């Protein structure tokens, strides 16, 4: 089965005072993957960044590609700046994603999690693997003893990686309350678990840090959810903004995409944007500026089916 989804993501900052100088970095270029083909990506920034094209004209794909650079995980980032006074910044991204069904996680296939964790340990002479870096601590998803004990409720001895991951996904969903504004973008996994609430970013960080506490590899995925599902299908939590979930490395099945916010494997509702060690690697937009005072942020995300 395949579906086509149109994605529109607008970020708007309105500044209390004039901004005299600014530099920003964006991670808004969507990934092509074995289950996702992206077409027609457009990025418009107002005011036009310094050194970019001609004011009032849309950037074509060639001009846009000139400003992109890849990080170590293959994501495309873009940096831009303004050396002129402005009171507002609008970053508008849109594209179409064609999604194919992913193989569902098979709880019976693959090694037990202890063997998988052992295979990720450093040994002299062992070739580096793609998953190695995602088994290490990162700023927002650092393992500790509390997270280790929490993970062991799902990863019992002898259980497969996939079975443990599915169980942990449901466990995080049951134990954490989805509560907007209960955390910030700087909240770490241990803090979110302690307060038992958060948003999709926190659910993903708790899942990832818990897996890493056992020596397993897990990574953070930023993306989007279908805003209006087909009739009869429930609307997933987090569908009105950018979304986040996790991927757990299974030697036999590859990266298992699991959404603890909604307790479902990622499917045809999930559009992948980028992946990294945690939110810090793939923040959609960040920057430094001089002036501006208090900024008012408005983010709008719409994901809708493309009619055949």
């Amino acid at each position: 089965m395949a579906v086509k989804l149109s994605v529109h993501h607008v970020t708007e900052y309105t500044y209390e005072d004039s901004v005299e100088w600014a530099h920003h970095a964006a991670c808004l270029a969507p990934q092509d993957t074995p289950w996702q083909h992206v077409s027609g990506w457009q990025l418009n920034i107002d005011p036009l960044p310094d050194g970019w094209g001609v004011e009032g004209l849309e950037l074509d794909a060639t001009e846009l590609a000139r400003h992109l650079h890849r990080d170590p995980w293959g994501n495309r980032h873009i940096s831009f700046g303004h050396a002129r006074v402005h009171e507002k910044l609008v970053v508008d991204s849109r594209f179409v994603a064609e999604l194919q069904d992913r193989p569902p996680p098979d709880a019976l296939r693959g090694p037990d999690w202890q063997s998988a964790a052992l295979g990720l340990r450093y040994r002299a002479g062992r070739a580096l693997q793609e998953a190695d870096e995602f088994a290490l601590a990162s700023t927002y998803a650092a393992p500790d003893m509390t997270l280790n004990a929490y993970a062991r409720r799902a990863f019992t001895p002898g259980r497969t990686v996939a079975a443990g991951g599915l169980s942990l996904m449901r466990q995080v969903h049951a134990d954490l309350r989805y509560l907007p504004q209960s955390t910030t973008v700087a909240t770490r996994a241990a803090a979110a678990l302690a307060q038992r609430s958060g948003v999709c970013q926190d659910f993903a960080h708790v899942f990832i840090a818990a897996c890493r506490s056992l020596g397993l590899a897990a990574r953070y995925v930023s993306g989007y959810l279908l805003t209006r599902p087909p009739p009869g299908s429930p609307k997933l939590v987090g569908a009105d903004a950018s979304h986040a979930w996790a991927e757990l490395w299974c030697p036999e099945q590859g990266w298992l995409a699991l959404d603890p916010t909604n307790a479902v494997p990622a499917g045809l509702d999930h559009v992948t944007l980028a992946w990294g060690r945690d939110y810090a690697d793939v923040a959609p937009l960040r920057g430094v500026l001089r002036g501006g005072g208090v900024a008012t942020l408005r983010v709008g995300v719409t994901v809708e089916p493309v009619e055949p």
Side-chain angles (χ1 to χ4, degrees):
M1 180 178 178
V3 300
K4 277 190 175 182
L5 301 178
S6 171
V7 179
H8 187 198
H9 181 179
V10 180
T11 304
E12 179 182 300
Y13 282 97
T14 303
Y15 302 108
E16 180 184 45
D17 301 318
S18 296
V19 174
E20 301 173 8
W21 173 92
H23 183 79
H24 298 275
C27 187
L28 290 166
Q31 288 271 25
D32 275 312
T33 74
W35 58 86
Q36 175 174 292
H37 174 69
V38 174
S39 60
W41 181 55
Q42 299 175 11
L43 182 69
N44 292 300
I45 302 172
D46 184 20
L48 192 70
D50 297 345
W52 284 42
V54 178
E55 194 76 53
L57 296 180
E58 286 191 2
L59 293 171
D60 61 26
T62 302
E63 173 69 9
L64 190 56
R66 189 168 69 86
H67 300 281
L68 291 168
H69 62 276
R70 289 191 182 272
D71 67 16
W73 306 287
N75 305 305
R76 295 178 297 164
H77 297 253
I78 198 160
S79 299
F80 61 93
H82 298 97
R84 52 179 161 157
V85 173
H86 56 284
E87 289 77 33
K88 180 183 285 190
L89 173 67
V90 180
V91 179
D92 185 311
S93 173
R94 60 183 73 206
F95 61 91
V96 172
E98 182 175 356
L99 304 180
Q100 305 282 342
D101 277 320
R102 315 183 195 207
D106 185 346
L108 301 179
R109 182 178 166 216
D112 64 80
W113 68 265
Q114 296 102 318
S115 298
L118 184 63
L120 289 165
R121 288 183 187 173
Y122 174 76
R123 299 188 303 277
R126 179 174 74 77
L128 292 177
Q129 306 172 84
E130 176 192 14
D132 284 349
E133 190 165 6
F134 297 106
L136 303 176
S138 61
T139 301
Y140 298 130
D144 63 18
M145 294 308 297
T146 300
L147 284 156
N148 180 277
Y150 185 74
R152 287 179 182 275
R153 288 170 46 195
F155 287 89
T156 51
R159 204 166 200 185
T160 66
V161 174
L166 288 164
S167 179
L168 181 62
M169 175 189 73
R170 293 187 286 267
Q171 182 177 305
V172 173
H173 174 78
D175 291 346
L176 270 64
R177 179 186 176 197
Y178 186 86
L179 189 62
Q181 301 182 345
S182 63
T183 55
T184 72
V185 293
T187 300
R188 304 187 180 203
L193 180 61
Q195 71 179 45
R196 291 295 203 270
S197 67
V199 293
C200 56
Q201 171 182 309
D202 304 296
F203 282 64
H205 282 159
V206 168
F207 179 95
I208 293 165
C211 291
R212 290 176 182 170
S213 75
L214 300 177
L216 299 171
R219 66 187 184 184
Y220 182 96
V221 184
S222 67
Y224 307 99
L225 284 175
L226 185 62
T227 307
R228 286 190 282 274
S233 299
K235 181 177 180 178
L236 297 180
V237 175
D240 295 316
S242 55
H243 191 54
W245 57 95
E247 290 186 343
L248 173 63
W249 176 251
C250 175
E252 295 292 330
Q253 301 182 57
W255 291 103
L256 306 178
L258 304 172
D259 181 355
T261 304
N262 292 288
V264 294
L268 294 176
D269 289 331
H270 293 73
V271 179
T272 300
L273 183 59
W275 50 67
R277 294 164 299 181
D278 59 27
Y279 171 80
D281 286 334
V282 293
L285 185 64
R286 63 176 66 209
V288 293
L289 49 87
R290 183 169 64 209
V294 177
T296 300
L297 171 63
R298 184 184 70 84
V299 178
V301 173
T302 304
V303 182
E304 296 182 316
V306 176
E307 297 299 330

